């Protein structure tokens, strides 16, 4: 194959990738806007705003969503900033296992974590059984503040990782320069550290805001209990409850997407004004302070308290609830049983079928996503051309818009009368939705691996007579496998726990582990729901550990 033919093949492949992304991602989003501004077959650009402003309840729901997003950003900052400082600037950062443990809150499905907190703090809950005087805290917890606390404990790892990496890049020389000129600690923090952190903080705050206002599980469980409703719960209501009202659902979805775009614009302004080059040819020398004495006590105390709140409390409630014979009997050895697990895993039981459905859907979706994601990542390359940049933007869209908005767009698109492929309300629709929602993970992981490769490796293979197919199979593909495996694992894990998309698009009589858990909570069978949560999370974690153990990247590190 000559150079001209190879370039033509790359152009066709890149154009086809862009066209496919436009169909999978862009058209469903555009269809939401079109449906929201074209009610009753008449163009009305102000229809979404009129829907909200004409209904005081929906206006309050919009304000609730925005206020909740801002409040969660504030509290996650309180949690994440001291933790990032501790892990970047003290000896505690050398404990690599802490970084793994600190990711557990994010890997826990939000609706399960919120149910764990509710069981712990409710009247007659586990907290009161241990400390009866704690009953005075129950009304304060079941409030707006409690909801912000639960969601912040789930999302703070996002912001923590971004801030910690930014602090490590700052290094110790800049702080020492300020100290040499007589700057005290708080002055250095205000004039040196904060400006250098603002770019990373802006990106983290955007992610926290989008994930907060896009969250469905916690508002559907905790929010409903305290009477606090947000846009996601209202969109779900208009789509899943009779009478179906796609007009209001698309109006709310378009406004939700608009709010996220405004936040994205604010974040780009912050990043452009507070971006600095911190990595140069001299390298980075990060100064760590010994965690001894009062510094060590305070640092370890903060980490332990945060881990107890984000992991200890919810998982204690989850495991305990799954083992109780009767909830009214309270905690006692005689009230513990494994009967719920046996009933759940009984051959042919609804619980076993839901588990098999979840793992089957996640397996197929993650396998398709890793193939498409690798193709898109190789097409994007270094994003040097306009087409590559647009492809990169389209591939990231599912990660920057609320998931429920994209799901509504996919329903509208694939359920259209003119759609020649009858995909809606089928197994294939579920797989397609999972692939579209979580495709950015594979694209980003593979793109990161590809960006680290020296083009000389592929050129050497071509010089020694290797065809493009041979070079791809024997050189490029083995080097991309770690990124592909990471993308596959992330897609599999999140697909296996996905709730809102599953509730909206699953065919009738079909359940996944997430919808089974949600249904058990709705019906009051908390023990069965928690048993399913333990099994689902446990199997997924064990599978990921096995894949990580046999991965080529691990073998190279230990060879």
């Amino acid at each position: 194959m000559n150079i001209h033919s190879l370039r033509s093949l790359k152009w066709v492949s890149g154009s086809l990738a862009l066209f496919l992304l436009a169909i999978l991602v862009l058209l469903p989003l555009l269809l939401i806007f079109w449906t929201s501004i074209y009610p009753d077959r008449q163009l009305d650009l102000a229809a979404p705003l009129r829907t909200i402003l004409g209904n005081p309840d929906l206006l309050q729901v919009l304000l609730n969503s925005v206020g909740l997003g801002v409040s969660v950003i504030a509290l996650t900052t309180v949690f994440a900033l001291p933790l990032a400082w501790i892990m970047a600037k003290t000896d505690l950062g050398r404990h690599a296992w802490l970084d793994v443990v600190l990711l557990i809150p994010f890997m826990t499905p939000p609706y399960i974590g919120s149910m764990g907190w509710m069981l712990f703090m409710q009247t007659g809950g586990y907290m009161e059984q241990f400390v009866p005087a704690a009953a005075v805290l129950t009304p304060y917890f079941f409030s707006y503040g409690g909801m912000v606390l639960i969601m912040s404990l789930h999302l703070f790892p996002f912001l923590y990782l971004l801030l910690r990496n930014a602090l490590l890049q700052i290094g110790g020389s800049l702080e020492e320069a300020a100290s040499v000129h007589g700057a005290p600690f708080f002055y250095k923090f205000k004039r040196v550290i904060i400006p250098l952190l603002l770019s990373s903080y802006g990106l983290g705050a955007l992610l926290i805001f989008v994930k907060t206002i896009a969250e469905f599980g916690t508002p559907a469980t905790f929010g409903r209990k305290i009477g606090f409703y947000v846009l996601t719960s209202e969109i779900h209501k208009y789509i899943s409850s009779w009478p179906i009202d796609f007009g209001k659902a698309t109006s709310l979805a378009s406004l939700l997407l608009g709010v996220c775009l405004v936040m994205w614009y604010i974040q780009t302004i912050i990043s452009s004004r507070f971006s600095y080059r911190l990595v140069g040819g001299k390298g980075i020398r990060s100064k760590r302070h010994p965690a001894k004495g009062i510094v060590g006590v305070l640092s370890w105390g903060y980490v332990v308290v945060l881990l107890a709140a984000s992991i200890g409390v919810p998982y204690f409630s989850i495991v305990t609830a799954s083992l109780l014979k009767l909830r009214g009997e309270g905690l006692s050895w005689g009230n513990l049983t494994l009967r719920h697990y046996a009933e759940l895993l009984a051959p042919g039981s609804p619980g076993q079928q839901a588990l098999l459905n979840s793992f089957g859907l996640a397996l197929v979706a993650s396998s398709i996503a890793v193939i498409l994601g690798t193709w898109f990542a190789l097409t994007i390359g270094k994003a040097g051309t306009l087409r590559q940049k647009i492809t990169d933007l389209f591939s990231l869209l599912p990660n920057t818009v609320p998931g429920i908005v994209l799901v509504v767009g996919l329903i509208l698109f694939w359920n259209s009368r003119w759609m020649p492929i009858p995909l809606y309300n089928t197994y294939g629709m579920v797989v397609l939705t999972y692939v579209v929602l979580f495709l950015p993970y594979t694209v980003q992981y593979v793109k990161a691996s590809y960006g680290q490769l020296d083009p000389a490796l592929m050129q050497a293979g071509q010089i020694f007579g290797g065809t493009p197919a041979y070079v791809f199979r024997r050189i490029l593909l083995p080097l991309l496998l770690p990124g592909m495996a990471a993308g596959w694992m992330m897609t599999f894990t999140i697909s296996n726990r996905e709730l809102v998309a599953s509730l909206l698009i699953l065919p009738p009589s079909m359940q996944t582990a997430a919808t089974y858990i949600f249904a058990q909570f709705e019906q009051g069978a908390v023990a069965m729901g928690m048993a399913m949560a333990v099994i689902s999370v446990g199997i997924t974690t064990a599978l990921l550990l096995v894949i990580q153990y046999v991965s080529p990247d691990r073998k190279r590190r230990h060879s």
Side-chain angles (χ1 to χ4, degrees), residues 379-460:
T379 300
I380 294 167
K382 304 293 185 180
T385 66
L386 178 61
R387 189 190 64 221
Q388 289 174 323
K389 292 178 180 178
I390 295 175
T391 304
D392 193 16
L393 174 64
F394 285 0
S395 71
L396 288 175
L397 272 179
N399 222 11
T400 55
V401 302
I404 194 170
V405 173
L406 193 52
V407 172
V408 172
L410 290 170
I411 292 174
L412 292 173
F413 184 73
W414 293 99
N415 196 34
S416 301
R417 295 179 180 178
W418 43 264
M419 178 58 63
I421 304 174
L423 195 62
Y424 182 71
N425 211 18
T426 64
Y427 185 97
M429 181 67 187
V430 185
V431 172
L432 174 69
T433 303
Y434 288 172
V435 170
V436 173
L437 284 176
F438 309 122
L439 185 64
Y441 293 106
T442 300
V443 174
Q444 292 306 303
Y445 279 118
V446 176
K447 195 168 68 172
S449 296
Y450 184 64
Q452 296 173 353
L453 302 183
D454 191 336
L457 295 172
M458 274 62 74
Q459 294 170 1

Side-chain angles (χ1 to χ4, degrees), residues 234-252:
E234 291 300 295
I235 293 172
H236 177 263
K237 182 183 72 174
Y238 287 126
I239 293 179
S240 61
S241 302
W242 187 261
I244 305 296
D245 193 339
F246 270 102
K248 286 186 178 179
T250 54
S251 294
L252 293 177

